[in-house]
Amino acid sequence: MPLYTCISDDRTDITKRQAIAEAITHAHCAHTGAPPEFVHVTFNDYLGGTPKSTLRIVGNIRSGRAPEVKAKMHDEILDEVARILGVARDEVTLVLQEMPAEWAMEGGHVL
């Protein structure tokens, strides 16, 4: 159910995108206990204006997790993505949006 949408500029090649997807999946699973096959990471290319950051990530995650869990997951994702891209942490934007589990299905099952 967790869906992370990454909006990147043309500096984010396929190798970096794969590494970012793996880092996001690892962080999400490590902090939530979710199975990796439930984590979805997609990429869209940034097409308009001047980007304020190298990569923007919006993560739609299940609501109800402790604030400490979300903070640790947030920090790990930011740190790993910045490391993979070779940029400062403030060049990566990450927003975690919570939604009720019953709003999503995975494999035909309401989560």
Side-chain angles (χ1 to χ4, degrees):
M1 175 229 151
L3 173 61
Y4 290 87
T5 303
C6 305
I7 301 110
S8 63
D9 61 18
D10 59 3
R11 294 179 285 178
T12 311
D13 65 29
I14 190 68
T15 303
K16 289 180 182 175
R17 289 178 184 211
Q18 182 63 41
I20 289 166
E22 290 171 4
I24 290 171
T25 300
H26 177 268
H28 187 93
C29 295
H31 294 286
T32 67
E37 58 271 14
F38 281 9
V39 181
H40 304 282
V41 181
T42 64
F43 283 83
N44 294 323
D45 292 326
Y46 188 81
L47 298 175
T50 304
K52 301 276 190 227
S53 57
T54 301
L55 185 72
R56 286 154 304 288
I57 305 167
V58 178
N60 291 297
I61 62 172
R62 181 176 55 80
S63 60
R65 293 195 172 89
E68 311 82 54
V69 170
K70 292 181 286 191
K72 287 179 183 177
M73 185 169 59
H74 185 275
D75 287 345
E76 183 176 334
I77 291 171
L78 277 180
D79 289 343
E80 285 301 303
V81 169
R83 181 189 63 74
I84 291 163
L85 293 174
V87 299
R89 193 174 181 217
D90 65 357
E91 287 192 49
V92 179
T93 301
L94 170 61
V95 176
L96 297 177
Q97 300 178 134
E98 294 184 286
M99 56 188 268
E102 62 268 13
W103 286 9
M105 292 184 75
E106 185 76 35
H109 301 282
V110 175
L111 301 172

